[in-house]
Amino acid sequence: MILGIGSDLANIDRIAAVLERHGARFKTRVFTAAEQRKAEGRPRAIAATYAKRWAAKEACSKALGTGLAMGISWKDMAVSNLASGQPVMQLTGWAAERLAAMTPPDHEAILHVTLTDDHPWAQAFVVIEARPKPART
């Protein structure tokens, strides 16, 4: 069953301007060290990489039904990639607590995330699915 859906659209040029204006202060407030390494390791797409992750965090907070106003920290939601390149999202802190609270008993929560960019836009969708846990024998 679907527990939540969120989407967000971020302007890459706006994120680039924030990066230029606030630099490390912005990066360390919003992004995990791993997210920063990923973005900085893509010299031709630094702003786009940050913009996609920004959009994913916004989309995730919407899928959790909280937005960012209810105590979720930006860093409680982190995007990484599998070896195949597929984006995945990890939740910690209050975001993980919220996910646990909204997941029905005997179910496991699965986060699906997709990212895309086409300058000047970066977009993310997050779907939170609850799957029944396998029956114990």
Side-chain angles (χ1 to χ4, degrees), residues 59-91:
C60 184
S61 71
K62 294 171 186 175
L64 289 168
T66 63
L68 286 159
M70 292 181 63
I72 292 178
S73 164
W74 287 102
K75 289 182 176 181
D76 285 349
M77 302 166 287
V79 178
S80 61
N81 297 85
L82 300 177
S84 65
Q86 176 184 347
V88 292
M89 188 155 244
Q90 302 83 30
L91 303 185

Side-chain angles (χ1 to χ4, degrees), residues 6 47 59 85 92 95:
T92 58

Side-chain angles (χ1 to χ4, degrees), residues 34-55:
E35 289 173 313
Q36 291 177 54
R37 280 191 302 276
K38 174 74 172 183
E40 300 299 325
R42 302 185 75 213
R44 301 179 122 211
I46 291 172
T49 302
Y50 279 120
K52 286 187 284 189
R53 278 149 180 75
W54 171 279

Side-chain angles (χ1 to χ4, degrees), residues 84-107:
S84 65
Q86 176 184 347
V88 292
M89 188 155 244
Q90 302 83 30
L91 303 185
T92 58
W94 199 89
E97 291 172 22
R98 170 68 181 151
L99 180 63
M102 64 190 285
T103 304
D106 299 322
H107 285 71

